Amino acid sequence: QVHLVESGGGLVQAGGSLRLSCAASGSISSINVMGWYHQAPGKERELVAVISRTGSIKYGDVGKGRFTISQDDAKKTVYLEMNSLELEDTAVYYCYAAGVVTTEFYGGPFWGQGTQVTVSS
């Protein structure tokens, strides 16, 4: 079993900042890619950012230039630093993991349950 647990969401005023964390647990040897997607009300889930185990990063259009992804490979944790938050950033943010190697299988993707980020004016 692989579990992704997000934390750090909440209510913030426009222009403010939040830091999301996602910790992976289970009998995990390594994770090739971790990252974040978000889903705004009435819209499809879309890429925020992903980071590979080697440190390669891909940002989506969401939050480009304002959001920064990082990871602690040893802790199997990925972070999303969100600055200059805008009303349009209001969404559920989902943690994502792919290429997960455990003692029993290699697979993915896996998703967290999501953490709500609400930006108010």
Side-chain angles (χ1 to χ4, degrees):
Q1 288 285 346
V2 174
H3 297 283
L4 303 177
V5 179
E6 303 104 332
S7 61
L11 175 64
V12 63
Q13 285 192 323
S17 298
L18 281 175
R19 188 187 195 215
L20 305 183
S21 300
C22 171
S25 64
S27 302
I28 301 171
S29 299
S30 63
I31 303 174
N32 283 336
V33 179
M34 292 190 76
W36 297 92
Y37 284 69
H38 91 171
Q39 188 164 18
K43 296 187 177 180
E44 293 186 353
R45 193 172 297 188
E46 58 181 329
L47 173 69
V48 178
V50 291
I51 183 168
S52 74
R53 191 180 178 199
T54 59
S56 296
I57 292 172
K58 178 179 179 180
Y59 288 101
D61 292 333
V62 174
K64 187 173 286 186
R66 298 181 292 117
F67 294 177
T68 303
I69 191 171
S70 61
Q71 66 181 347
D72 184 327
D73 187 57
K75 294 182 180 180
K76 304 292 187 292
T77 299
V78 64
Y79 306 96
L80 185 69
E81 188 76 34
M82 303 188 293
N83 297 314
S84 302
L85 282 161
E86 302 172 353
L87 298 179
E88 293 74 21
D89 295 323
T90 294
V92 178
Y93 285 73
Y94 294 94
C95 182
Y96 163 91
V100 179
V101 180
T102 75
T103 55
E104 297 179 345
F105 63 83
Y106 170 85
F110 297 93
W111 296 94
Q113 291 192 330
T115 185
Q116 176 70 46
V117 171
T118 302
V119 184
S120 65
S121 58

